[in-house]
Amino acid sequence: MTMPERQSSGQPEEPAVARMLCDVQALTGKSPESSGVLWKLAESGRQLDANLIRLLAGDHIATHAEPDLDVLILVVTGDGVMDTPEGALPLTAGVLLWLPHGSTRSIIAGPGGLAYVTVHRRRPGMQIRRRSDLTPATAPQPMPPAWRTRE
């Protein structure tokens, strides 16, 4: 049995080589100046998206759900709480969470702040379509309110 050949985009593909991407301890060990993304996976040809997020003490990510993708969260440093409809989940360094698609959650950083890695399947690229081509299932959904607020 022969495998079908891959279609070429005309650009050379990067070789499939394992590589170190960042030192999470070094990135989170710096004095926190602000909340936000400290690192993100940006390599071409990837099938995953990943981010290293830092929240300062008391920062809050508003309640939201990811309708299409499962998400893994690994707490790297600090502490906080993830609120879910089923109850509060304590967040401390080393905790690994699975958030199935459709699950609802919010996060608040504790007094020491919070840093965590998120990993999920890469979202497909943006597509331009005529409005008449959209079905209710493919129509754009409104974005949740600002993802982060200070309390």
Side-chain angles (χ1 to χ4, degrees), residues 4-82:
E5 290 189 30
R6 295 178 70 150
Q7 296 292 324
S8 175
S9 64
Q11 295 182 347
E13 249 184 65
E14 287 188 30
V17 177
R19 55 196 133 171
M20 184 177 295
L21 299 172
C22 73
D23 181 338
V24 175
Q25 295 296 328
L27 288 174
T28 58
K30 296 177 183 175
S31 177
E33 298 171 10
S34 64
S35 291
V37 177
L38 298 177
W39 169 87
K40 69 179 183 174
L41 186 61
E43 281 57 33
S44 65
R46 69 189 187 279
Q47 295 178 350
L48 294 174
D49 275 332
N51 300 289
L52 174 59
I53 309 290
R54 180 187 356 242
L55 300 177
L56 297 179
D59 275 358
H60 181 256
I61 296 178
T63 301
H64 66 287
E66 170 50 66
D68 301 320
L69 303 173
D70 289 4
V71 178
L72 283 177
I73 292 181
L74 175 62
V75 178
V76 178
T77 63
D79 64 309
V81 174
M82 177 179 288

